[in-house]
Amino acid sequence: MTKHIGHATDLHLKSATWINPGVACVAFLMLLGIPIEGRGQESIWIEAEHLRGVRGHCFPDVNGQKTAGNWAFSGPGIAGEWTQGGESGWLSIACGPEDDKAEADYACEIPVSGTWRLWVRYRDWRQRPERFVVRVEQPNMAARSLVYGERPVIDEDDELKLLWDWAFGWDVQEIELVKGPARIVLISDQIQDRHRQIDCLCLTTDRGYRPYHREKPRQPAWEALEQLRGSPELLGASKIVLKAGINVSESWNLKSFRNRGFLYLWNVGKPWLDELASQEPTRIRFPFHVDEPLLEEFRRTYAGRSDLPIFSDPRIVPVFHASGPHILDNSHFV
């Protein structure tokens, strides 16, 4: 069983030192004696924003948003997306109605030959088509093109369609693939009345998979890991295995900024800048941000204290959204 979730590249797949994490996980779980079911199913999940060739921005709900021969980043959603499971990886991609030449592609490795299903989650406009094409290319084979968006996949009287004039929905088509490298190309090949917006794609051999909102296929490795939660004896066994020692190449060790390990970027804003400008000895010394209705209670509760929840953690790094170098104009911050 091999699970390919995320962005696989030819470089990774040909590297002598690369180990598929799904295989490593399953091997470890089998070592512990945990049963792995459904090992015959394969899935490749592709976030549309991970395709190569995406550039610029395009928001279908903002008037005048155009593209010129390319797919552009869209999202996070303004409103409608959040009522339908949201965008699967926070973002999606889109192209303008008049764009009939936009292309973006994704390289992956097909683990087994056979019949695959290609699910695509996209914006289904009410009473309008949103045609686009997914072309699949493999060595020594003729390219195959699958057309999506020519028919509604969400009922035209669905509440969300009536409210927003569109809804995210899934459509699926079957395709025969052979084991080996593949290139998946997303194409807007015709002018349409409305934007095309693509959230994600999923290639799978699991014929029982029926996605709901942005739901991913079954992942047997994760299901086996979940079994550890209720199995103390297996958790103990895993600790023994881990303590046995595995020599890992130095090149595999994660690098971090100034060797400080993992850091959390946390948005902060004006409330903390106000604290910096204050001369009160009980001012809050840590960068923080809370919603406006909670601000005064937060200040009363934690004024002068060094045990702020979350914000006093040394791994928290303050981030000022969209401020740029102008934050340095604030003498108190400097």
Side-chain angles (χ1 to χ4, degrees), residues 19-257:
I19 297 177
N20 186 299
V23 173
C25 175
V26 171
F28 174 70
L29 295 168
M30 292 177 67
L31 180 63
L32 297 182
I34 301 175
I36 310 294
E37 297 179 358
R39 280 176 280 180
Q41 307 302 332
E42 303 284 351
S43 296
I44 303 173
W45 184 275
I46 304 169
E47 293 293 344
E49 62 270 22
H50 293 171
L51 270 63
R52 296 177 295 195
V54 178
R55 62 181 185 272
H57 295 85
C58 179
F59 296 91
D61 296 303
V62 177
N63 292 332
Q65 295 282 299
K66 298 181 179 180
T67 54
N70 65 276
W71 293 89
F73 292 107
S74 187
I78 297 171
E81 291 87 341
W82 294 98
T83 62
Q84 302 146 77
E87 289 158 300
S88 57
W90 187 249
L91 294 175
S92 55
I93 64 175
C95 71
E98 72 287 348
D99 199 327
D100 59 355
K101 296 181 175 60
E103 287 196 13
D105 69 281
Y106 186 90
C108 64
E109 191 83 3
I110 303 301
V112 294
S113 299
T115 301
W116 288 71
R117 289 185 168 188
L118 177 56
W119 290 90
V120 184
R121 187 172 190 253
Y122 60 91
R123 176 185 286 236
D124 179 20
W125 288 100
R126 186 171 186 264
Q127 296 181 339
R128 294 181 180 89
E130 54 281 324
R131 176 191 164 102
F132 62 92
V133 173
V134 181
R135 187 175 70 227
V136 181
E137 303 171 355
Q138 289 195 279
N140 305 315
M141 295 184 66
R144 285 140 301 162
S145 295
L146 305 176
V147 178
Y148 292 81
E150 292 187 321
R151 62 181 181 86
V153 293
I154 301 295
D155 190 281
E156 298 288 45
D157 291 327
D158 175 82
E159 292 89 340
L160 295 173
K161 265 193 173 179
L162 291 170
L163 178 63
W164 301 107
D165 201 34
W166 68 276
F168 269 139
W170 288 95
D171 198 5
V172 63
Q173 296 195 50
E174 290 190 347
I175 184 171
E176 294 295 323
L177 298 175
V178 297
K179 182 178 180 179
R183 179 173 175 258
I184 300 171
V185 188
L186 183 64
I187 306 167
S188 63
D189 68 334
Q190 292 183 10
I191 294 175
Q192 299 288 282
D193 288 340
R194 294 290 186 270
H195 289 75
R196 273 70 44 97
Q197 182 180 5
I198 315 301
D199 181 33
C200 56
L201 304 89
C202 179
L203 272 169
T204 183
T205 62
D206 187 351
R207 302 186 68 83
Y209 172 57
R210 298 291 187 277
Y212 175 71
H213 288 339
R214 53 182 179 175
E215 185 179 63
K216 292 181 172 65
R218 287 181 65 251
Q219 299 182 38
W222 281 111
E223 291 176 7
L225 286 171
E226 287 292 334
Q227 295 180 32
L228 289 173
R229 294 180 184 273
S231 306
E233 68 281 2
L234 293 176
L235 283 172
S238 67
K239 292 176 182 178
I240 293 173
V241 173
L242 293 174
K243 287 181 180 179
I246 301 175
N247 294 323
V248 178
S249 169
E250 175 64 26
S251 64
W252 283 40
N253 291 331
L254 294 176
K255 301 298 188 293
S256 61
F257 180 69

